[in-house]
Amino acid sequence: MSIKVSYKETAQKIHSAPESFSDLTSQLAKTFESFKLPATWGLEYTTKDGQKLIISNQEAYNRFLAELPAFEKAPKIYIVEVNDDYCKIEKPEEVKMDELPKRDIAF
C-alpha cells in the first residue's frame, strides 16, 4: 500500500512503503532535501482509531506496517520537528538496597 508523507504544506506519495525504518528515513531525507528539514525530526501518524503515534525505530515502524491493511486509503505520516521533550524518557531514580522494606523469607 502507498503512504503519504507531509512536511509543512507539502505532501509526497510513496507508492510502496519501504521495508525498513532506515530505508524510510533515508528516502524521506532525499525526497524533502530541498525543503530544509529541521536538524532533528521525527515521524508521526494517526491510527485508524484516532491515536497519534510516533515512529522512532524499526519496532514502531513494523507496527505501522502491520496496521496498513486497516486503512481504507493511504495513511499520512507527518514529519515533525523534534524538541528535547518529544521522546524524553526519564531515568528512574536509583534504588538503594538498604532502603527497600525488609521482609521475612520462609523456605
Side-chain angles (χ1 to χ4, degrees):
M1 174 182 260
S2 63
I3 57 176
K4 291 181 183 177
V5 181
S6 179
Y7 177 64
K8 294 189 178 181
E9 302 296 320
T10 303
Q12 297 287 326
K13 189 173 191 175
I14 298 175
H15 294 285
S16 181
E19 289 184 27
S20 74
F21 179 69
S22 62
D23 289 345
L24 174 66
T25 56
S26 295
Q27 185 174 352
L28 295 179
K30 288 177 189 171
T31 301
F32 289 93
E33 184 175 28
S34 64
F35 294 94
K36 298 192 183 301
L37 291 174
T40 55
W41 50 277
L43 303 172
E44 183 179 271
Y45 74 101
T46 303
T47 66
K48 193 169 166 119
D49 299 333
Q51 290 182 313
K52 286 190 175 188
L53 297 179
I54 298 165
I55 303 172
S56 59
N57 56 36
Q58 185 63 46
E59 183 180 338
Y61 185 60
N62 288 343
R63 285 192 300 269
F64 170 75
L65 292 176
E67 290 182 35
L68 282 180
F71 288 93
E72 295 172 13
K73 57 183 184 176
K76 192 180 260 189
I77 295 176
Y78 296 91
I79 297 175
V80 294
E81 187 168 0
V82 176
N83 60 36
D84 292 342
D85 296 324
Y86 189 73
C87 294
K88 189 175 181 182
I89 298 173
E90 295 286 337
K91 183 178 176 184
E93 292 182 33
E94 187 175 325
V95 176
K96 296 179 182 165
M97 294 304 288
D98 58 341
E99 293 176 0
L100 292 174
K102 304 220 184 311
R103 296 200 168 114
D104 293 330
I105 300 175
F107 293 97

